[in-house]
Amino acid sequence: MRVSACPSRAEASLTRHRWYFRYGVALLFVVAALGLRWVLQPWLGERVPFLTFFPAAALLAWYAGAGPAALAVGAGLIGVDYLFAREGVPLAADPVTAFLLQLFYLVITAVMIWLAVLARRRTEAAEGAAEVSRRAVEALELTRAEMKAVLENVPTGIYHLDAEDRFVFVNAPYERLMQRPSAELIGRRIAEVFPPDAAAQFGENNRRVLPAGRTLAFEEVTTFDGERRVYSSVKTPLPLADGSPGVLGLSTDITAQKQAEERLRESEARLREADRRKDEFIAMLSHELRNPLAPILTATQFLALAEPSDARLRGALDIIGRQVRVMARLVDDLLDLSRLTSGRIELRRERVDAAVALEEALQVSRPLIEQARHELVVRRPDEPVYVEGDLVRLAQIVANLVNNAAKYTPPGGRIEVALEREEDRVMIRVADNGIGVPADMIERIFEMYAQVDSSSERTRGGLGIGLTLAQQLAVMHGGRIEARSAGAGRGSTFTLYLPAAEIADARRGAA
Ligand code: ADP
């Protein structure tokens, strides 16, 4: 804030100085007044002995305060008495007149001091008030300058309209936004400045603000010179300088943002459409692939029944049978996935002993385990552990986990499968000492088509959908699968959690 360097009359006073300085000045005044009175003695004689002390007292009272002035008056009384006695001039003809003269001097100077101090205080108060208002004006000017800088530099068009939609103020960004100079806007109504469609829209929105009595936000769309522009506008009631009603508006051009959003929406729609077509294609493809597999498998079984004597023929039949089963499993997974994504999988729920589901899963997985010569350890409780669910789907989930354990463990590994009940939940834990899962992939492997190392996984015959499928089926059963691994090469543990059957009953009862 600017502060004037010019001292005010109040600041010129001696009252701000230390007391001894002010009293020192008072003594100097006494000496000067005495000296002057002595110089005037030949002309004045015994008349007006205190003449020079009246102005001295007044000046001191004004500039140095009442104390130094009183000191000067006192010192003047003594000084004049002494001066007159030395000069041999009587102060007055008789002692009574002398006394009265001195009394008159004291009373008059006291009144003068009092008046001077009073006047001084008044002046100081007036100067103080003037100073305050001068600073307020300066501050106001500064605020105005700041406001102007802000108004001209914000990326928002700001305008003030009266109740008849007439422009009272516009900032420079608004001029640019509306492609019109302020001279074309100020004092004119919206309808006189903008094309009819824009004017109708702007005007209609403005007219909603005053009755509402609060800030309203609008998206205003208009066409300038054949170009469609979109503005985000905030309008608020704000009286004009004369107190009449007005509307303050703030508008930002969001055309580019809107266009980007539109493009994003279009590309999202295209992506969704492509995704839908891909799902349809996968569904159709898996159907077409699945159809010939059953007859091929039956044919190999039929040929095997004939027990061909040639060992090479038996070997070939064995290979065909095994590979067709692998293919069938993959295609079945694909079919299930497309059913899941289109919400066409229905669970045939019943009370199932989890041990039975586990046994069915192991039957499916055993050939794979044996082929890789893994050691399989199975632990299950003696009494049944019931869950509510679809036996086939539950077996499918567990088989998926055990197959993975067999696939992702180097030959001769160890797979432990444990079924446990813990309070209100049932757990089937499949642990292996295989290649493990790196920490950064542990969550991602449940995503569709996710594989830790797609080049090596390809050789193990997988599509990266088994865990997605298993997890979704687990969720449909009110459960989930959790994966843990100490890292690459350090084995993994996949645990399927399911609600125990009594709990499932209770939940359904509560629902
Ligand atoms: P895939 O058909 O590739 O086996 P999944 O969805 O069943 O697909 O598994 C996804 C990925 O998770 C696998 O490609 C593999 O990288 C990793 N994975 C699954 N189970 C195991 C396991 N027991 N040990 C190590 N990695 C595993």
Side-chain angles (χ1 to χ4, degrees):
M1 185 179 285
R2 264 184 296 133
V3 176
S4 167
C6 158
S8 69
R9 279 202 290 154
E11 279 165 353
S13 146
L14 295 178
T15 48
R16 275 150 219 257
H17 288 275
R18 295 272 170 123
W19 66 270
Y20 47 80
F21 182 78
R22 289 186 284 128
Y23 281 90
V25 170
L27 287 177
L28 283 179
F29 264 68
V30 170
V31 173
L34 266 179
L36 191 62
R37 183 63 187 82
W38 184 68
V39 170
L40 295 174
Q41 180 63 17
W43 291 280
L44 296 177
E46 78 276 19
R47 276 174 288 143
V48 278
F50 298 106
L51 176 70
T52 52
F53 280 88
F54 292 111
L59 280 171
L60 278 168
W62 177 269
Y63 284 110
L71 173 73
V73 168
L77 193 68
I78 298 164
V80 168
D81 278 351
Y82 176 71
L83 182 78
F84 275 60
R86 254 191 64 151
E87 290 285 308
V89 183
L91 201 60
D94 60 289
V96 175
T97 313
F99 172 75
L100 287 176
L101 196 65
Q102 286 172 343
L103 191 65
F104 171 76
Y105 163 68
L106 284 177
V107 170
I108 293 298
T109 48
V111 171
M112 279 172 62
I113 291 172
W114 179 64
L115 286 176
V117 168
L118 215 66
R120 166 104 229 160
R121 283 207 192 126
R122 285 237 175 102
T123 311
E124 277 178 357
E127 281 178 355
E131 177 66 10
V132 167
S133 67
R134 190 177 56 79
R135 292 203 175 149
V137 169
E138 273 179 12
L140 207 65
E141 274 170 12
L142 193 71
T143 315
R144 244 196 217 168
E146 282 168 350
M147 274 300 283
K148 194 163 180 308
V150 170
L151 284 175
E152 297 310 304
N153 290 296
V154 283
T156 307
I158 303 176
Y159 47 98
H160 203 174
L161 303 163
D162 66 13
E164 273 141 28
D165 276 349
R166 201 174 283 112
F167 285 101
V168 178
F169 164 83
V170 295
N171 70 344
Y174 189 74
E175 295 175 73
R176 289 194 289 275
L177 213 63
M178 296 297 157
Q179 299 161 24
R180 290 185 175 45
S182 67
E184 260 186 47
L185 298 167
I186 301 293
R188 298 171 80 177
R189 299 171 70 162
I190 283 183
E192 297 171 64
V193 185
F194 296 122
D197 66 327
Q201 196 182 159
F202 295 171
E204 188 184 321
N205 291 341
N206 295 342
R207 274 188 294 282
R208 285 166 59 189
V209 176
L210 283 179
R214 64 188 168 87
T215 305
L216 297 179
F218 304 98
E219 204 161 271
E220 299 181 318
V221 184
T222 183
T223 309
F224 280 147
D225 304 328
E227 205 186 329
R228 187 176 180 270
R229 315 288 320 164
V230 187
Y231 303 101
S232 164
S233 300
V234 175
K235 302 187 178 192
T236 193
L238 184 76
L240 306 184
D242 63 4
S244 59
V247 173
L248 182 82
L250 293 91
S251 294
T252 313
D253 190 339
I254 53 165
T255 310
Q257 183 190 327
K258 283 278 151 189
Q259 283 167 349
E261 275 174 22
E262 187 60 27
R263 281 199 294 274
L264 205 66
R265 252 196 306 278
E266 278 169 15
S267 80
E268 242 179 50
R270 274 201 300 275
L271 273 177
R272 257 199 304 276
E273 174 58 18
D275 194 45
R276 193 190 57 77
R277 280 213 298 267
K278 178 213 69 193
D279 285 346
E280 261 178 29
F281 175 74
I282 288 177
M284 192 194 65
L285 180 73
S286 32
H287 253 291
E288 294 306 314
L289 287 175
R290 189 67 179 92
N291 287 342
L293 290 183
I296 294 175
L297 208 59
T298 319
T300 52
Q301 281 161 355
F302 181 69
L303 284 175
L305 279 182
E307 294 181 356
S309 51
D310 191 335
R312 283 176 305 173
L313 211 59
R314 282 203 305 274
L317 276 176
D318 216 34
I319 292 171
I320 295 171
R322 228 178 21 245
Q323 296 304 326
V324 169
R325 265 189 290 273
V326 170
M327 256 185 92
R329 214 175 41 237
L330 284 178
V331 175
D332 282 345
D333 275 359
L334 266 179
L335 268 174
D336 277 346
L337 196 71
S338 52
R339 283 192 201 116
L340 254 179
T341 44
S342 57
R344 278 185 290 123
I345 282 198
E346 286 217 357
L347 298 181
R348 262 187 250 141
R349 288 180 185 273
E350 55 186 333
R351 178 175 278 243
V352 176
D353 181 357
V356 175
L358 174 59
E359 195 42 55
E360 296 213 350
L362 290 177
Q363 260 178 35
V364 175
S365 304
R366 227 170 230 120
L368 213 58
I369 297 171
E370 281 164 6
Q371 197 186 326
R373 300 182 312 280
H374 294 314
E375 180 193 352
L376 174 69
V377 181
V378 182
R379 273 198 297 272
R380 62 173 81 91
D382 295 331
E383 68 279 7
V385 178
Y386 290 111
V387 292
E388 189 79 22
D390 185 323
L391 176 62
V392 176
R393 294 301 182 185
L394 288 173
Q396 185 182 353
I397 299 172
V398 181
N400 197 296
L401 299 182
V402 181
N403 279 353
N404 274 352
K407 267 186 346 186
Y408 299 110
T409 301
R414 181 183 158 90
I415 297 172
E416 280 183 31
V417 182
L419 165 63
E420 288 166 27
R421 162 129 194 213
E422 188 188 75
E423 292 175 5
D424 58 354
R425 61 184 188 175
V426 172
M427 297 177 296
I428 299 179
R429 186 174 295 117
V430 181
D432 64 55
N433 60 350
I435 64 169
V437 183
D440 61 329
M441 285 299 290
I442 205 84
E443 290 300 325
R444 286 205 49 212
I445 53 173
F446 290 99
E447 289 170 13
M448 186 106 71
Y449 311 122
Q451 296 185 315
V452 173
D453 175 0
S454 50
S455 56
S456 77
E457 256 86 296
R458 199 80 322 137
T459 58
R460 292 181 167 97
L463 296 170
I465 56 173
L467 279 180
T468 316
L469 199 61
Q471 182 69 289
Q472 294 198 22
L473 287 171
V475 170
M476 285 176 79
H477 280 87
R480 72 195 153 89
I481 301 171
E482 211 176 79
R484 283 186 196 282
S485 171
R490 303 179 63 183
S492 353
T493 303
F494 287 77
T495 311
L496 164 68
Y497 295 94
L498 294 167
E502 301 83 48
I503 300 299
D505 282 350
R507 281 213 190 114
R508 230 198 342 263

PDB file of all heavy atoms in Angstrom, residues 227-249:
ATOM      1  N   GLU A 227     -20.426 -21.496 -36.711  1.00  0.00           N
ATOM      2  CA  GLU A 227     -19.644 -22.385 -35.855  1.00  0.00           C
ATOM      3  C   GLU A 227     -20.385 -22.594 -34.541  1.00  0.00           C
ATOM      4  O   GLU A 227     -20.780 -21.617 -33.888  1.00  0.00           O
ATOM      5  CB  GLU A 227     -18.285 -21.731 -35.567  1.00  0.00           C
ATOM      6  CG  GLU A 227     -17.212 -22.750 -35.241  1.00  0.00           C
ATOM      7  CD  GLU A 227     -15.939 -22.016 -34.811  1.00  0.00           C
ATOM      8  OE1 GLU A 227     -15.713 -20.896 -35.305  1.00  0.00           O
ATOM      9  OE2 GLU A 227     -15.213 -22.547 -33.975  1.00  0.00           O
ATOM     10  N   ARG A 228     -20.578 -23.852 -34.161  1.00  0.00           N
ATOM     11  CA  ARG A 228     -21.337 -24.137 -32.934  1.00  0.00           C
ATOM     12  C   ARG A 228     -20.431 -23.954 -31.723  1.00  0.00           C
ATOM     13  O   ARG A 228     -19.337 -24.536 -31.673  1.00  0.00           O
ATOM     14  CB  ARG A 228     -21.836 -25.584 -33.018  1.00  0.00           C
ATOM     15  CG  ARG A 228     -22.764 -25.982 -31.921  1.00  0.00           C
ATOM     16  CD  ARG A 228     -23.240 -27.403 -32.186  1.00  0.00           C
ATOM     17  NE  ARG A 228     -24.155 -27.842 -31.153  1.00  0.00           N
ATOM     18  CZ  ARG A 228     -23.764 -28.456 -30.044  1.00  0.00           C
ATOM     19  NH1 ARG A 228     -22.482 -28.688 -29.838  1.00  0.00           N
ATOM     20  NH2 ARG A 228     -24.656 -28.845 -29.155  1.00  0.00           N
ATOM     21  N   ARG A 229     -20.856 -23.139 -30.774  1.00  0.00           N
ATOM     22  CA  ARG A 229     -20.046 -22.905 -29.579  1.00  0.00           C
ATOM     23  C   ARG A 229     -20.858 -23.295 -28.343  1.00  0.00           C
ATOM     24  O   ARG A 229     -22.079 -23.089 -28.305  1.00  0.00           O
ATOM     25  CB  ARG A 229     -19.626 -21.433 -29.416  1.00  0.00           C
ATOM     26  CG  ARG A 229     -19.113 -20.724 -30.609  1.00  0.00           C
ATOM     27  CD  ARG A 229     -17.753 -21.107 -31.081  1.00  0.00           C
ATOM     28  NE  ARG A 229     -16.748 -21.354 -30.072  1.00  0.00           N
ATOM     29  CZ  ARG A 229     -15.607 -21.987 -30.356  1.00  0.00           C
ATOM     30  NH1 ARG A 229     -15.354 -22.437 -31.563  1.00  0.00           N
ATOM     31  NH2 ARG A 229     -14.724 -22.184 -29.428  1.00  0.00           N
ATOM     32  N   VAL A 230     -20.170 -23.859 -27.355  1.00  0.00           N
ATOM     33  CA  VAL A 230     -20.842 -24.232 -26.107  1.00  0.00           C
ATOM     34  C   VAL A 230     -20.177 -23.459 -24.968  1.00  0.00           C
ATOM     35  O   VAL A 230     -18.945 -23.413 -24.889  1.00  0.00           O
ATOM     36  CB  VAL A 230     -20.719 -25.750 -25.842  1.00  0.00           C
ATOM     37  CG1 VAL A 230     -21.555 -26.159 -24.641  1.00  0.00           C
ATOM     38  CG2 VAL A 230     -21.121 -26.543 -27.072  1.00  0.00           C
ATOM     39  N   TYR A 231     -20.994 -22.853 -24.112  1.00  0.00           N
ATOM     40  CA  TYR A 231     -20.465 -22.089 -22.979  1.00  0.00           C
ATOM     41  C   TYR A 231     -21.005 -22.673 -21.685  1.00  0.00           C
ATOM     42  O   TYR A 231     -22.170 -23.062 -21.617  1.00  0.00           O
ATOM     43  CB  TYR A 231     -20.897 -20.623 -23.041  1.00  0.00           C
ATOM     44  CG  TYR A 231     -20.478 -19.949 -24.312  1.00  0.00           C
ATOM     45  CD1 TYR A 231     -21.393 -19.762 -25.342  1.00  0.00           C
ATOM     46  CD2 TYR A 231     -19.165 -19.520 -24.496  1.00  0.00           C
ATOM     47  CE1 TYR A 231     -21.012 -19.168 -26.525  1.00  0.00           C
ATOM     48  CE2 TYR A 231     -18.774 -18.919 -25.679  1.00  0.00           C
ATOM     49  CZ  TYR A 231     -19.703 -18.751 -26.681  1.00  0.00           C
ATOM     50  OH  TYR A 231     -19.321 -18.175 -27.850  1.00  0.00           O
ATOM     51  N   SER A 232     -20.104 -22.694 -20.706  1.00  0.00           N
ATOM     52  CA  SER A 232     -20.555 -23.036 -19.359  1.00  0.00           C
ATOM     53  C   SER A 232     -20.731 -21.697 -18.645  1.00  0.00           C
ATOM     54  O   SER A 232     -19.774 -20.955 -18.483  1.00  0.00           O
ATOM     55  CB  SER A 232     -19.493 -23.896 -18.682  1.00  0.00           C
ATOM     56  OG  SER A 232     -19.727 -23.929 -17.319  1.00  0.00           O
ATOM     57  N   SER A 233     -21.968 -21.376 -18.265  1.00  0.00           N
ATOM     58  CA  SER A 233     -22.243 -20.053 -17.687  1.00  0.00           C
ATOM     59  C   SER A 233     -22.801 -20.161 -16.282  1.00  0.00           C
ATOM     60  O   SER A 233     -23.612 -21.039 -15.985  1.00  0.00           O
ATOM     61  CB  SER A 233     -23.263 -19.313 -18.547  1.00  0.00           C
ATOM     62  OG  SER A 233     -22.756 -19.154 -19.846  1.00  0.00           O
ATOM     63  N   VAL A 234     -22.328 -19.226 -15.444  1.00  0.00           N
ATOM     64  CA  VAL A 234     -22.860 -19.123 -14.086  1.00  0.00           C
ATOM     65  C   VAL A 234     -23.425 -17.720 -13.975  1.00  0.00           C
ATOM     66  O   VAL A 234     -22.750 -16.756 -14.320  1.00  0.00           O
ATOM     67  CB  VAL A 234     -21.729 -19.320 -13.054  1.00  0.00           C
ATOM     68  CG1 VAL A 234     -22.253 -19.088 -11.649  1.00  0.00           C
ATOM     69  CG2 VAL A 234     -21.133 -20.699 -13.174  1.00  0.00           C
ATOM     70  N   LYS A 235     -24.684 -17.607 -13.539  1.00  0.00           N
ATOM     71  CA  LYS A 235     -25.315 -16.281 -13.466  1.00  0.00           C
ATOM     72  C   LYS A 235     -25.859 -16.060 -12.065  1.00  0.00           C
ATOM     73  O   LYS A 235     -26.441 -16.973 -11.473  1.00  0.00           O
ATOM     74  CB  LYS A 235     -26.444 -16.184 -14.498  1.00  0.00           C
ATOM     75  CG  LYS A 235     -25.893 -16.436 -15.895  1.00  0.00           C
ATOM     76  CD  LYS A 235     -26.886 -16.199 -16.992  1.00  0.00           C
ATOM     77  CE  LYS A 235     -26.192 -16.434 -18.328  1.00  0.00           C
ATOM     78  NZ  LYS A 235     -26.947 -15.985 -19.467  1.00  0.00           N
ATOM     79  N   THR A 236     -25.631 -14.853 -11.591  1.00  0.00           N
ATOM     80  CA  THR A 236     -26.022 -14.577 -10.206  1.00  0.00           C
ATOM     81  C   THR A 236     -26.649 -13.182 -10.115  1.00  0.00           C
ATOM     82  O   THR A 236     -26.227 -12.279 -10.845  1.00  0.00           O
ATOM     83  CB  THR A 236     -24.780 -14.718  -9.301  1.00  0.00           C
ATOM     84  OG1 THR A 236     -25.196 -14.763  -7.968  1.00  0.00           O
ATOM     85  CG2 THR A 236     -23.778 -13.600  -9.462  1.00  0.00           C
ATOM     86  N   PRO A 237     -27.634 -12.991  -9.238  1.00  0.00           N
ATOM     87  CA  PRO A 237     -28.221 -11.646  -9.114  1.00  0.00           C
ATOM     88  C   PRO A 237     -27.203 -10.704  -8.462  1.00  0.00           C
ATOM     89  O   PRO A 237     -26.608 -11.071  -7.450  1.00  0.00           O
ATOM     90  CB  PRO A 237     -29.422 -11.843  -8.179  1.00  0.00           C
ATOM     91  CG  PRO A 237     -29.544 -13.312  -7.959  1.00  0.00           C
ATOM     92  CD  PRO A 237     -28.277 -13.960  -8.336  1.00  0.00           C
ATOM     93  N   LEU A 238     -26.965  -9.540  -9.059  1.00  0.00           N
ATOM     94  CA  LEU A 238     -26.052  -8.549  -8.482  1.00  0.00           C
ATOM     95  C   LEU A 238     -26.549  -7.163  -8.871  1.00  0.00           C
ATOM     96  O   LEU A 238     -26.558  -6.822 -10.061  1.00  0.00           O
ATOM     97  CB  LEU A 238     -24.625  -8.767  -8.991  1.00  0.00           C
ATOM     98  CG  LEU A 238     -23.593  -7.840  -8.363  1.00  0.00           C
ATOM     99  CD1 LEU A 238     -23.268  -8.286  -6.938  1.00  0.00           C
ATOM    100  CD2 LEU A 238     -22.306  -7.821  -9.166  1.00  0.00           C
ATOM    101  N   PRO A 239     -27.000  -6.364  -7.894  1.00  0.00           N
ATOM    102  CA  PRO A 239     -27.544  -5.038  -8.226  1.00  0.00           C
ATOM    103  C   PRO A 239     -26.498  -4.168  -8.914  1.00  0.00           C
ATOM    104  O   PRO A 239     -25.300  -4.336  -8.704  1.00  0.00           O
ATOM    105  CB  PRO A 239     -27.914  -4.446  -6.861  1.00  0.00           C
ATOM    106  CG  PRO A 239     -27.940  -5.583  -5.917  1.00  0.00           C
ATOM    107  CD  PRO A 239     -27.028  -6.626  -6.448  1.00  0.00           C
ATOM    108  N   LEU A 240     -26.972  -3.227  -9.721  1.00  0.00           N
ATOM    109  CA  LEU A 240     -26.075  -2.289 -10.392  1.00  0.00           C
ATOM    110  C   LEU A 240     -25.624  -1.226  -9.391  1.00  0.00           C
ATOM    111  O   LEU A 240     -26.100  -1.205  -8.258  1.00  0.00           O
ATOM    112  CB  LEU A 240     -26.801  -1.614 -11.559  1.00  0.00           C
ATOM    113  CG  LEU A 240     -27.451  -2.540 -12.587  1.00  0.00           C
ATOM    114  CD1 LEU A 240     -28.025  -1.696 -13.722  1.00  0.00           C
ATOM    115  CD2 LEU A 240     -26.451  -3.529 -13.142  1.00  0.00           C
ATOM    116  N   ALA A 241     -24.730  -0.316  -9.834  1.00  0.00           N
ATOM    117  CA  ALA A 241     -24.190   0.711  -8.937  1.00  0.00           C
ATOM    118  C   ALA A 241     -25.311   1.569  -8.334  1.00  0.00           C
ATOM    119  O   ALA A 241     -25.232   2.008  -7.190  1.00  0.00           O
ATOM    120  CB  ALA A 241     -23.202   1.579  -9.693  1.00  0.00           C
ATOM    121  N   ASP A 242     -26.399   1.796  -9.100  1.00  0.00           N
ATOM    122  CA  ASP A 242     -27.485   2.653  -8.587  1.00  0.00           C
ATOM    123  C   ASP A 242     -28.499   1.869  -7.757  1.00  0.00           C
ATOM    124  O   ASP A 242     -29.542   2.390  -7.370  1.00  0.00           O
ATOM    125  CB  ASP A 242     -28.187   3.371  -9.745  1.00  0.00           C
ATOM    126  CG  ASP A 242     -28.863   2.372 -10.690  1.00  0.00           C
ATOM    127  OD1 ASP A 242     -28.839   1.150 -10.396  1.00  0.00           O
ATOM    128  OD2 ASP A 242     -29.406   2.799 -11.725  1.00  0.00           O
ATOM    129  N   GLY A 243     -28.185   0.586  -7.506  1.00  0.00           N
ATOM    130  CA  GLY A 243     -29.058  -0.215  -6.647  1.00  0.00           C
ATOM    131  C   GLY A 243     -30.149  -0.939  -7.390  1.00  0.00           C
ATOM    132  O   GLY A 243     -30.854  -1.764  -6.808  1.00  0.00           O
ATOM    133  N   SER A 244     -30.322  -0.676  -8.692  1.00  0.00           N
ATOM    134  CA  SER A 244     -31.375  -1.384  -9.442  1.00  0.00           C
ATOM    135  C   SER A 244     -30.918  -2.822  -9.707  1.00  0.00           C
ATOM    136  O   SER A 244     -29.727  -3.113  -9.724  1.00  0.00           O
ATOM    137  CB  SER A 244     -31.654  -0.661 -10.759  1.00  0.00           C
ATOM    138  OG  SER A 244     -30.472  -0.600 -11.512  1.00  0.00           O
ATOM    139  N   PRO A 245     -31.906  -3.733  -9.923  1.00  0.00           N
ATOM    140  CA  PRO A 245     -31.531  -5.145 -10.060  1.00  0.00           C
ATOM    141  C   PRO A 245     -30.687  -5.406 -11.319  1.00  0.00           C
ATOM    142  O   PRO A 245     -30.847  -4.728 -12.341  1.00  0.00           O
ATOM    143  CB  PRO A 245     -32.877  -5.875 -10.139  1.00  0.00           C
ATOM    144  CG  PRO A 245     -33.893  -4.838 -10.398  1.00  0.00           C
ATOM    145  CD  PRO A 245     -33.345  -3.518 -10.002  1.00  0.00           C
ATOM    146  N   GLY A 246     -29.782  -6.366 -11.194  1.00  0.00           N
ATOM    147  CA  GLY A 246     -28.921  -6.718 -12.319  1.00  0.00           C
ATOM    148  C   GLY A 246     -28.481  -8.164 -12.203  1.00  0.00           C
ATOM    149  O   GLY A 246     -28.712  -8.829 -11.186  1.00  0.00           O
ATOM    150  N   VAL A 247     -27.870  -8.661 -13.270  1.00  0.00           N
ATOM    151  CA  VAL A 247     -27.393 -10.049 -13.299  1.00  0.00           C
ATOM    152  C   VAL A 247     -25.925 -10.043 -13.697  1.00  0.00           C
ATOM    153  O   VAL A 247     -25.559  -9.443 -14.708  1.00  0.00           O
ATOM    154  CB  VAL A 247     -28.208 -10.890 -14.305  1.00  0.00           C
ATOM    155  CG1 VAL A 247     -27.608 -12.278 -14.463  1.00  0.00           C
ATOM    156  CG2 VAL A 247     -29.653 -10.990 -13.880  1.00  0.00           C
ATOM    157  N   LEU A 248     -25.099 -10.703 -12.864  1.00  0.00           N
ATOM    158  CA  LEU A 248     -23.676 -10.839 -13.206  1.00  0.00           C
ATOM    159  C   LEU A 248     -23.491 -12.233 -13.802  1.00  0.00           C
ATOM    160  O   LEU A 248     -23.949 -13.224 -13.225  1.00  0.00           O
ATOM    161  CB  LEU A 248     -22.801 -10.682 -11.972  1.00  0.00           C
ATOM    162  CG  LEU A 248     -21.309 -10.760 -12.267  1.00  0.00           C
ATOM    163  CD1 LEU A 248     -20.812  -9.414 -12.770  1.00  0.00           C
ATOM    164  CD2 LEU A 248     -20.509 -11.175 -11.044  1.00  0.00           C
ATOM    165  N   GLY A 249     -22.860 -12.300 -14.969  1.00  0.00           N
ATOM    166  CA  GLY A 249     -22.661 -13.588 -15.626  1.00  0.00           C
ATOM    167  C   GLY A 249     -21.188 -13.891 -15.820  1.00  0.00           C
ATOM    168  O   GLY A 249     -20.381 -12.989 -16.029  1.00  0.00           O
TER     169      GLY A 249
END
